[in-house]
Amino acid sequence: MAKTSMKMREVKRAKTVAKYAEKRAELKTKSVDMSLSYEERMEAMDKLARLPRNASPVRQQRRCKLTGRPHGVYKKFGLSRNMLRLYAMQGDVPGLRKASW
């Protein structure tokens, strides 16, 4: 199990990303728009750099929904490899079976 503080930090990051998403998208499009002058593009880049670091979606970490484990998490299920195996063996994951050949 991950520490509760780490799980809450990820929740806080997700809220920050959602809060600044529109502003970031607008500034990013301005910064690469070649029809604008050089100064306007640089100003957009500066404003983008002044936004909080956690406003960037790249800083979010995918975590297991049950345990909060940060590594070995499958996107499709939202579970870590350990929990996925456990629930697959119990038959709780629809459409997933253990391979045998």
Side-chain angles (χ1 to χ4, degrees), residues 71-87:
H71 298 289
V73 178
Y74 289 83
K75 282 184 195 177
K76 186 174 181 178
F77 304 105
L79 299 173
S80 66
R81 59 187 176 81
N82 304 332
M83 291 293 108
L84 183 63
R85 182 177 188 277
L86 178 74
Y87 284 110

Side-chain angles (χ1 to χ4, degrees), residues 16-33:
T16 308
V17 166
K19 179 179 177 183
Y20 288 99
E22 190 176 318
K23 190 172 187 177
R24 276 184 63 81
E26 179 187 328
L27 289 171
K28 281 183 80 77
T29 55
K30 280 185 179 179
S31 67
V32 295
D33 187 8

Side-chain angles (χ1 to χ4, degrees):
M1 291 290 282
K3 290 177 14 178
T4 308
S5 60
M6 295 306 286
K7 292 182 200 175
M8 295 313 293
R9 188 179 298 169
E10 286 302 320
V11 170
K12 186 176 176 183
R13 278 191 187 128
K15 287 179 184 175
T16 308
V17 166
K19 179 179 177 183
Y20 288 99
E22 190 176 318
K23 190 172 187 177
R24 276 184 63 81
E26 179 187 328
L27 289 171
K28 281 183 80 77
T29 55
K30 280 185 179 179
S31 67
V32 295
D33 187 8
M34 297 306 280
S35 65
L36 297 176
S37 69
Y38 179 77
E39 289 79 21
E40 289 173 326
R41 284 187 282 134
M42 286 298 121
E43 184 181 340
M45 284 185 200
D46 286 341
K47 286 182 181 177
L48 189 62
R50 279 191 235 118
L51 290 178
R53 284 188 177 177
N54 286 335
S56 174
V58 173
R59 290 180 60 93
Q60 288 181 303
Q61 174 81 37
R62 190 180 320 116
R63 289 186 174 269
C64 176
K65 290 180 180 157
L66 299 174
T67 60
R69 186 182 206 284
H71 298 289
V73 178
Y74 289 83
K75 282 184 195 177
K76 186 174 181 178
F77 304 105
L79 299 173
S80 66
R81 59 187 176 81
N82 304 332
M83 291 293 108
L84 183 63
R85 182 177 188 277
L86 178 74
Y87 284 110
M89 292 299 192
Q90 293 174 357
D92 293 338
V93 182
L96 189 70
R97 344 187 294 201
K98 185 174 185 289
S100 61
W101 59 88

